Amino acid sequence: MDGTEHAICLHPKRYPQCHNYYTLKPHPLSFDGRLPIAPICVLNWTPELQSIHVADFAERVLRMRAGEEDCKTFRIMPKSSPDLMLRQRMSSQELKNEIMRHKDPGISNTQFEQYWSMALNELYSRSDKIDFERRDVQDWLGSDIYLRSLRPIRPLSCQARQSVQRWAIDSQPIIIAAVISAIAIILARHVYKKRKREADLVKLVAQKVLAKLSDQAHFHSTNPILFQEPFLPQIHLRDALLDEVYSTMERNLIWDKIRAAVEQNSNIRVGAQDVHGEPHRVWEWVGLAGVFGQKPE
């Protein structure tokens, strides 16, 4: 037996199975089944069944509208958002016109009006799925009645986006803590590297200062005419050895650490002398001269 319209043929030797809202009838040319002609599926005109069909279709239209409006905005809006609820709803007249565009041509307008009235009663009974803005039965057939689905149908892309957004909102404390921790680690590494560079620089410059003071004492003792003073002004050493540190504040901070390291050496004497008529804080090497073996510059 061949398949027929609005039917599913499960087996060649069995009658077809009709779709919902259709019923199996003998073919008009089979003379009430006497001739071997496949039966046909015809629309079940029972008003109750048709009204349920209309209500099901109306519910799907409402679900599609609610899902489309929910996905139009990038951010997740609360289900109770007045703006979202206004955009999701449809007037009864608008919903009716949408359904009429898809009605079966064999259904007259009079029949549809009957089905529509019964379908509204059916939709009202689905309060867990459909929200009516006005619940006055006397006004149901008016165009000022608004319906909204409580179970929107969203595309997979929208569902995925909203899932990610909800996860981000729910995990906001964790994400903030992770970001703060990452920033703290980066700052800590930066501070550690900066302090290590400063410590290495302090150690290197302090060694150079000690070398220059030792050599100055040595050269003064061997050639007092050319090297008239056994000491060196601190400020001259600072500007000569920290010439690559351009920030005055940073240079002074580093020099304070260098000065502390140098003055801890027992071979250093701290004093004040006039250099070219200006008072200066000076260092003088009082230990064994020339121990660093530097050459005069």
Side-chain angles (χ1 to χ4, degrees), residues 154-168:
R154 304 178 183 87
L156 290 178
S157 59
C158 177
Q159 294 181 29
R161 172 174 61 81
Q162 291 187 344
S163 296
V164 173
Q165 288 178 309
R166 288 192 181 93
W167 173 86

Side-chain angles (χ1 to χ4, degrees), residues 26 40 97 103 202:
I40 60 174
N97 294 339
K103 78 178 183 65
V202 168

Side-chain angles (χ1 to χ4, degrees), residues 207-219:
Q207 290 177 348
K208 289 183 178 181
V209 169
L210 294 175
K212 287 184 175 295
L213 293 174
S214 174
D215 293 342
Q216 181 71 15
H218 171 71
F219 298 137

Side-chain angles (χ1 to χ4, degrees), residues 1 10 58 60 71 88 116 148 153 157 167-168 196 205 212 216 232 254 265 278:
M1 178 178 292
L10 301 177
R60 179 168 181 82
C71 292
Q88 287 180 329
W116 173 245
R148 182 175 62 89
I153 297 178
S157 59
W167 173 86
K196 188 176 185 304
V205 174
K212 287 184 175 295
Q216 181 71 15
L232 291 174
I254 295 175
N265 194 300
E278 295 182 359

Side-chain angles (χ1 to χ4, degrees), residues 129-143:
K129 301 177 182 178
I130 306 296
D131 178 63
F132 279 76
E133 186 167 322
R134 294 179 62 183
R135 298 182 179 272
D136 187 355
V137 179
Q138 300 298 326
D139 293 334
W140 272 17
L141 298 180
S143 60

